[in-house]
Amino acid sequence: AQSVAQPEDQVNVAEGNPLTVKCTYSVSGNPYLFWYVQYPNRGLQFLLKYITGDNLVKGSYGFEAEFNKSQTSFHLKKPSALVSDSALYFCAVRASGDYKLSFGAGTTVTVRA
Amino acid sequence: DVKVTQSSRYLVKRTGEKVFLECVQDMDHENMFWYRQDPGLGLRLIYFSYDVKMKEKGDIPEGYSVSREKKERFSLILESASTNQTSMYLCAGGARGTYEQYFGPGTRLTVT
């Protein structure tokens, strides 16, 4: 069975400060890892993915994530947060060769001006 | 731009009613998915389909069925709605051989 843990329900940062949203995963075999963002009353938008290769992945809106195999983590980062980054963030994992994505419970990010 | 549309943004139904949630994608994707989203639980997979007329159960299929008669359309059916099916329902599409899924805007269903 595969699973994702997002240990923080909420993250609060000041605009201009670095933003980190944590994610750890469990999966059999090689993981495919994803981050999605959800703005209020909207569907999920794809941010970035790790499939293979470089452990540092860059995505949309200035976000990046680092894959750490030994710690089974895939933390999302942004060097300088904006108020418009305030949203609900989901980490997801699937095993290679599988269709199914498993999502974490989500982390609400609030960036204050 | 890829596009996934869902027939309703908000829906209110009574207990025992049969409910149809429709999803259409314009991406020519083989794979389509139905999830429900509940606070503190994230997204949970109800059913998915990897081809026309093909379907597989996800993690929480009880009380739901699906239909995929055409490649672009994937319907979720609640045979007899119950109050514990009040939730946000999200449809997604994905191309075979690629990795990410693309989501519709969601349908917030309330069963009273």
Side-chain angles (χ1 to χ4, degrees):
Chain A
Q2 57 196 40
S3 65
V4 173
Q6 293 181 240
E8 300 160 317
D9 292 338
Q10 293 207 353
V11 170
N12 299 306
V13 298
E15 189 172 37
N17 282 1
L19 170 63
T20 299
V21 186
K22 295 179 180 176
C23 170
T24 59
Y25 66 90
S26 173
V27 70
S28 298
N30 293 324
Y32 294 162
L33 294 154
F34 306 83
W35 276 101
Y36 287 84
V37 61
Q38 185 179 39
Y39 299 100
N41 299 314
R42 304 277 294 276
L44 273 67
Q45 294 181 28
F46 169 76
L47 273 180
L48 50 78
K49 66 178 183 281
Y50 171 83
I51 304 301
T52 187
D54 194 348
N55 289 344
L56 185 64
V57 178
K58 293 189 185 296
S60 305
Y61 312 122
F63 284 94
E64 58 188 29
E66 186 164 13
F67 170 62
N68 187 316
K69 188 173 183 178
S70 62
Q71 296 186 3
T72 62
S73 67
F74 189 57
H75 301 330
L76 182 71
K77 299 180 182 182
K78 187 170 183 180
S80 179
L82 300 172
V83 171
S84 56
D85 294 327
S86 299
L88 181 57
Y89 290 80
F90 289 100
C91 181
V93 67
R94 61 175 257 215
S96 58
D98 196 356
Y99 293 109
K100 291 174 54 176
L101 268 181
S102 294
F103 285 83
T107 299
T108 299
V109 170
T110 302
V111 182
R112 60 185 184 276
Chain B
D1 268 358
V2 297
K3 196 164 185 183
V4 178
T5 56
Q6 296 182 229
S7 50
S8 305
R9 293 298 305 274
Y10 300 93
L11 209 52
V12 180
K13 295 293 182 180
R14 293 191 182 278
T15 302
E17 279 193 82
K18 190 169 186 176
V19 181
F20 293 86
L21 302 183
E22 304 286 341
C23 174
V24 177
Q25 51 105 351
D26 69 353
M27 304 173 288
D28 201 34
H29 285 177
E30 293 82 6
N31 303 328
M32 295 188 76
F33 307 83
W34 274 107
Y35 297 87
R36 63 176 285 175
Q37 179 182 359
D38 300 288
L41 297 178
L43 277 72
R44 293 177 291 166
L45 181 65
I46 305 171
Y47 268 96
F48 67 100
S49 168
Y50 52 87
D51 206 343
V52 176
K53 296 192 186 293
M54 306 302 289
K55 60 185 179 185
E56 287 206 21
K57 294 180 180 178
D59 298 318
I60 51 164
E62 297 78 17
Y64 303 95
S65 62
V66 290
S67 171
R68 193 167 182 200
E69 297 296 318
K70 293 185 178 181
K71 190 176 186 180
E72 67 271 18
R73 189 178 297 269
F74 191 36
S75 302
L76 180 69
I77 303 154
L78 288 66
E79 295 290 340
S80 177
S82 63
T83 54
N84 63 13
Q85 292 179 309
T86 291
S87 187
M88 169 72 91
Y89 290 88
L90 292 167
C91 176
R96 187 175 298 152
T98 66
Y99 307 101
E100 57 266 35
Q101 296 176 17
Y102 296 93
F103 285 81
T107 295
R108 186 167 295 280
L109 173 67
T110 302
V111 182
T112 62

